[in-house]
Short mmCIF file of all heavy atoms in Angstrom, two decimals:
data_model
loop_
_atom_site.label_atom_id
_atom_site.label_comp_id
_atom_site.label_asym_id
_atom_site.label_seq_id
_atom_site.Cartn_x
_atom_site.Cartn_y
_atom_site.Cartn_z
N ILE A 109 66.35 75.55 63.00
CA ILE A 109 67.45 75.45 63.95
C ILE A 109 68.72 75.99 63.32
O ILE A 109 68.84 76.08 62.11
CB ILE A 109 67.67 73.99 64.43
CG1 ILE A 109 67.90 73.05 63.25
CG2 ILE A 109 66.51 73.52 65.26
CD1 ILE A 109 68.27 71.65 63.64
N HIS A 110 69.66 76.30 64.17
CA HIS A 110 70.96 76.81 63.73
C HIS A 110 71.69 75.71 62.96
O HIS A 110 71.60 74.53 63.31
CB HIS A 110 71.77 77.21 64.98
CG HIS A 110 73.00 77.94 64.68
ND1 HIS A 110 74.18 77.31 64.40
CD2 HIS A 110 73.25 79.26 64.59
CE1 HIS A 110 75.11 78.19 64.16
NE2 HIS A 110 74.57 79.40 64.28
N PRO A 111 72.45 76.06 61.90
CA PRO A 111 73.15 75.05 61.08
C PRO A 111 74.05 74.12 61.88
O PRO A 111 74.13 72.93 61.60
CB PRO A 111 73.97 75.88 60.11
CG PRO A 111 73.24 77.17 60.00
CD PRO A 111 72.61 77.40 61.35
N LEU A 112 74.71 74.65 62.91
CA LEU A 112 75.58 73.79 63.72
C LEU A 112 74.76 72.75 64.47
O LEU A 112 75.13 71.58 64.54
CB LEU A 112 76.40 74.63 64.70
CG LEU A 112 77.42 73.86 65.53
CD1 LEU A 112 78.43 73.15 64.63
CD2 LEU A 112 78.14 74.80 66.47
N LEU A 113 73.61 73.18 65.01
CA LEU A 113 72.74 72.23 65.69
C LEU A 113 72.15 71.23 64.70
O LEU A 113 71.94 70.08 65.04
CB LEU A 113 71.62 72.97 66.42
CG LEU A 113 72.06 73.85 67.59
CD1 LEU A 113 70.86 74.60 68.15
CD2 LEU A 113 72.72 73.04 68.66
N PHE A 114 71.88 71.70 63.47
CA PHE A 114 71.38 70.80 62.44
C PHE A 114 72.42 69.71 62.14
O PHE A 114 72.08 68.55 62.02
CB PHE A 114 71.05 71.59 61.17
CG PHE A 114 70.52 70.73 60.06
CD1 PHE A 114 69.28 70.13 60.15
CD2 PHE A 114 71.29 70.49 58.93
CE1 PHE A 114 68.79 69.33 59.14
CE2 PHE A 114 70.81 69.70 57.91
CZ PHE A 114 69.56 69.11 58.02
N ALA A 115 73.70 70.11 62.05
CA ALA A 115 74.76 69.12 61.81
C ALA A 115 74.82 68.13 62.96
O ALA A 115 74.96 66.92 62.75
CB ALA A 115 76.11 69.82 61.64
N LEU A 116 74.68 68.62 64.19
CA LEU A 116 74.69 67.75 65.35
C LEU A 116 73.49 66.80 65.28
O LEU A 116 73.62 65.62 65.57
CB LEU A 116 74.64 68.59 66.62
CG LEU A 116 74.72 67.84 67.93
CD1 LEU A 116 76.06 67.11 68.03
CD2 LEU A 116 74.56 68.77 69.10
N TYR A 117 72.32 67.33 64.86
CA TYR A 117 71.14 66.49 64.73
C TYR A 117 71.36 65.39 63.70
O TYR A 117 70.96 64.25 63.91
CB TYR A 117 69.92 67.34 64.34
CG TYR A 117 68.71 66.50 64.04
CD1 TYR A 117 67.97 65.93 65.07
CD2 TYR A 117 68.32 66.25 62.73
CE1 TYR A 117 66.87 65.14 64.80
CE2 TYR A 117 67.23 65.46 62.45
CZ TYR A 117 66.51 64.90 63.49
OH TYR A 117 65.44 64.11 63.22
N LEU A 118 72.01 65.70 62.59
CA LEU A 118 72.25 64.69 61.57
C LEU A 118 73.06 63.52 62.11
O LEU A 118 72.86 62.38 61.72
CB LEU A 118 73.00 65.31 60.38
CG LEU A 118 72.18 66.22 59.48
CD1 LEU A 118 73.07 66.78 58.38
CD2 LEU A 118 70.99 65.51 58.88
N PHE A 119 73.99 63.82 63.00
CA PHE A 119 74.83 62.77 63.56
C PHE A 119 74.14 61.99 64.67
O PHE A 119 74.60 60.96 65.08
CB PHE A 119 76.15 63.35 64.07
CG PHE A 119 77.12 63.63 62.96
CD1 PHE A 119 77.25 64.91 62.45
CD2 PHE A 119 77.88 62.62 62.42
CE1 PHE A 119 78.13 65.16 61.42
CE2 PHE A 119 78.75 62.87 61.38
CZ PHE A 119 78.87 64.15 60.89
N THR A 120 73.04 62.51 65.19
CA THR A 120 72.35 61.82 66.27
C THR A 120 70.89 61.57 65.90
O THR A 120 70.02 61.60 66.75
CB THR A 120 72.42 62.65 67.56
OG1 THR A 120 71.83 63.91 67.31
CG2 THR A 120 73.84 62.82 68.03
N LEU A 136 81.79 63.00 65.13
CA LEU A 136 81.60 64.45 65.15
C LEU A 136 82.50 65.10 66.20
O LEU A 136 83.16 66.10 65.92
CB LEU A 136 80.13 64.78 65.42
CG LEU A 136 79.80 66.27 65.53
CD1 LEU A 136 80.04 66.96 64.18
CD2 LEU A 136 78.38 66.47 65.98
#
Side-chain angles (χ1 to χ4, degrees):
I109 57 173
H110 190 274
L112 184 60
L113 294 176
F114 180 69
L116 184 62
Y117 173 76
L118 287 178
F119 282 98
T120 59
L136 177 65

